[in-house]
Amino acid sequence: MTDISSSFHQEQGVEIQGGEEKENEDQDKEEKARCEWDFHLSTLISSSNSISGSGCDTLGVLEFDPCGNFLASGGIARKIRIYGANSLLREERENERCTMTGVPVTLDHGNACKFYICAPAKLGSLKWKPDWGSRVLGSGDYDGVVMEYDLEKKMPVFERDEHGGRRVWSIDYCHSDPVLGASGSDDGTMQMWDPRCGDNGKCLAMVQPSNQYSPVCCVEFNPFRGPIVAVGCADRRVYAYDMRKMLEPLFVLDGHQKTVTYIRFLDERTIISSSIDGCIKMWDAEDQRVIRTYKGHNNSRRFVGLSVWKPGGLICCGSESNQVFVYDKRWGEPLWVYGCQPMDLTRHDHGFVSSVCWQQNNENQCTLVAGDSEGVLRVFSGKKKLTI
């Protein structure tokens, strides 16, 4: 097991400080040739709850299917909504009008949503099952239950309740063996399971990363190579395990000041993590060091979402200031910020952006979806342009 000691951080701090001048020079050079992005709000999807500001439809999770054809949303309304990408991107057929007027296409959930499935509890996580196209979707809920839904039949086909009724914050599937899943919970454990082993799915392994019984807030398998699964905890650390022998962590990433809320693999050796310390960090997993820290968004106590767009090297998160932040992986300052206007301007609490998700398409144009605490979905289109 490799741990990162305080002395290591002190050394890193000296190295970073010593190279600050060179880093600034490099950034100035890169700034002249960097690729800028044009983003615009193309579609806005709201509901009666959004307009009334009842706050009963907070969107906690958004997930595009692997092919980018469908988007699933879930939250405290106990509904899994499925949207067709074409309905979300219908502004492409009216692109000229939107660009000229700056007015997005506005829909309500009833018109935009293809169908929905009622869930038994509030939803903390959704994940499409690899190699099943757009048919099977997994969920983790506030009652500690993991379920899988067959979307063609619109019904659950698997249920697992092994977290003692404690909230499941995150689930993910192994890409090398897509049947295997993992879930992280408030009970302080990450459990790996196989739906083929009995009605409740045999627990293949269980780890308690922190000795303090800290909640496990995020779980992510490395989708690029090797049997690696990463776990983020309320004890401020990221733990990585070899799923073939889950006794001790392969390494521990220690650098956040508060709970780690999300983990994403950007490539085979780069991990992106976010925390309620208001920072996103990019790590070299092989050297177990921080490459870059991203700051600008406001995140001190809530889950605000994290998504990486791998083809374009962009990172997105929400904010408790009700804004959407986009970072280029090469720079610590935001590349683009969108300030969402609340639906009800009379409210003192203007809500927050609670979930974000990139559609993983080509590297010259992108689609980003953000959901907020009022149940509003905003779809953004981006195109890259070279500046001289």
Side-chain angles (χ1 to χ4, degrees):
M1 171 177 147
T2 304
D3 204 345
I4 300 180
S5 64
S6 59
S7 62
F8 176 83
H9 280 292
Q10 291 171 3
E11 291 177 8
Q12 288 298 101
V14 172
E15 291 176 1
I16 291 172
Q17 185 175 2
E20 184 176 353
E21 184 176 348
K22 183 179 185 304
E23 183 179 342
N24 289 338
E25 291 177 359
D26 291 342
Q27 286 185 355
D28 290 341
K29 292 178 181 179
E30 289 174 338
E31 191 75 25
K32 295 178 182 179
R34 69 187 290 187
C35 292
E36 298 287 358
W37 289 86
D38 280 329
F39 286 95
H40 69 274
L41 174 63
S42 57
T43 310
L44 187 147
I45 302 172
S46 62
S47 66
S48 58
N49 291 335
S50 308
I51 297 172
S52 66
S54 63
C56 64
D57 202 9
T58 299
L59 295 170
V61 58
L62 298 169
E63 284 287 330
F64 273 106
D65 77 311
C67 297
N69 295 324
F70 297 95
L71 176 78
S73 74
I76 67 173
R78 306 186 183 192
K79 287 182 179 179
I80 299 173
R81 293 189 176 102
I82 305 298
Y83 302 87
N86 288 337
S87 66
L88 297 178
L89 299 174
R90 63 174 58 185
E91 96 291 344
E92 296 299 332
R93 297 192 294 267
E94 305 178 33
N95 187 57
E96 184 176 351
R97 182 184 68 82
C98 289
T99 302
M100 293 178 61
T101 65
V103 178
V105 174
T106 302
L107 306 169
D108 60 43
H109 287 296
N111 290 331
C113 178
K114 293 181 70 69
F115 64 89
Y116 68 86
I117 298 174
C118 291
K122 299 175 182 177
L123 296 165
S125 181
L126 292 173
K127 188 67 65 172
W128 296 88
K129 197 167 186 176
D131 291 353
W132 283 78
S134 305
R135 178 171 178 174
V136 178
L137 182 69
S139 72
D141 67 30
Y142 280 32
D143 287 346
V145 178
V146 173
M147 302 186 74
E148 290 181 355
Y149 294 88
D150 185 318
L151 298 184
E152 289 186 2
K153 299 178 180 178
K154 299 182 177 60
M155 61 180 294
V157 291
F158 170 71
E159 180 176 338
R160 185 173 193 279
D161 183 5
E162 296 292 334
H163 285 286
R166 305 293 297 275
R167 294 181 183 183
V168 173
W169 289 116
S170 179
I171 69 166
D172 195 24
Y173 290 101
C174 176
H175 291 258
S176 59
D177 186 353
V179 175
L180 301 181
S183 51
S185 168
D186 259 349
D187 67 359
T189 70
M190 184 274 286
Q191 300 183 18
M192 287 183 53
W193 32 266
D194 186 340
R196 296 169 296 190
C197 301
D199 294 337
N200 206 34
K202 180 181 179 181
C203 183
L204 303 178
M206 180 175 68
V207 294
Q208 181 188 307
S210 173
N211 293 328
Q212 305 168 12
Y213 293 92
S214 295
V216 173
C217 299
C218 43
V219 176
E220 179 98 342
F221 287 95
N222 187 337
F224 297 97
R225 68 171 187 180
I228 306 299
V229 59
V231 179
C233 293
D235 70 352
R236 305 169 291 128
R237 297 176 178 89
V238 175
Y239 300 82
Y241 293 89
D242 184 327
M243 55 183 283
R244 297 168 298 185
K245 46 182 181 180
M246 310 256 300
L247 297 177
E248 294 289 337
L250 289 173
F251 58 83
V252 180
L253 305 178
D254 189 351
H256 284 291
Q257 301 303 308
K258 293 183 179 180
T259 298
V260 175
T261 49
Y262 298 95
I263 302 169
R264 299 289 183 264
F265 281 89
L266 183 61
D267 56 44
E268 62 185 20
R269 63 177 288 172
T270 307
I271 293 176
I272 307 293
S273 64
S274 68
S275 166
I276 57 171
D277 62 5
C279 295
I280 295 172
K281 291 184 181 293
M282 180 165 65
W283 305 82
D284 185 316
E286 293 190 4
D287 295 336
Q288 292 101 60
R289 64 181 179 88
V290 176
I291 302 172
R292 188 163 292 107
T293 298
Y294 306 89
K295 294 183 178 180
H297 58 287
N298 184 349
N299 187 198
S300 62
R301 63 193 185 97
R302 301 180 185 273
F303 288 77
V304 296
L306 176 70
S307 185
V308 296
W309 182 40
K310 300 178 182 69
L314 299 185
I315 303 164
C316 180
C317 68
S319 176
E320 290 166 24
S321 59
N322 210 28
Q323 294 172 300
V324 178
F325 282 75
V326 173
Y327 297 90
D328 187 301
K329 67 178 183 180
R330 298 169 292 175
W331 294 280
E333 298 295 321
L335 178 74
W336 180 75
V337 179
Y338 176 84
C340 300
Q341 295 297 318
M343 301 300 292
D344 183 359
L345 297 176
T346 65
R347 295 179 61 200
H348 296 293
D349 177 13
H350 289 163
F352 61 99
V353 175
S354 50
S355 53
V356 293
C357 187
W358 294 101
Q359 185 186 44
Q360 301 294 328
N361 48 13
N362 69 73
E363 62 182 18
N364 291 316
Q365 68 180 56
C366 58
T367 299
L368 172 66
V369 182
D372 68 19
S373 56
E374 295 181 350
V376 178
L377 277 178
R378 290 176 173 84
V379 184
F380 303 96
S381 296
K383 290 186 178 180
K384 184 161 57 176
K385 66 174 184 177
L386 293 175
T387 58
I388 300 176

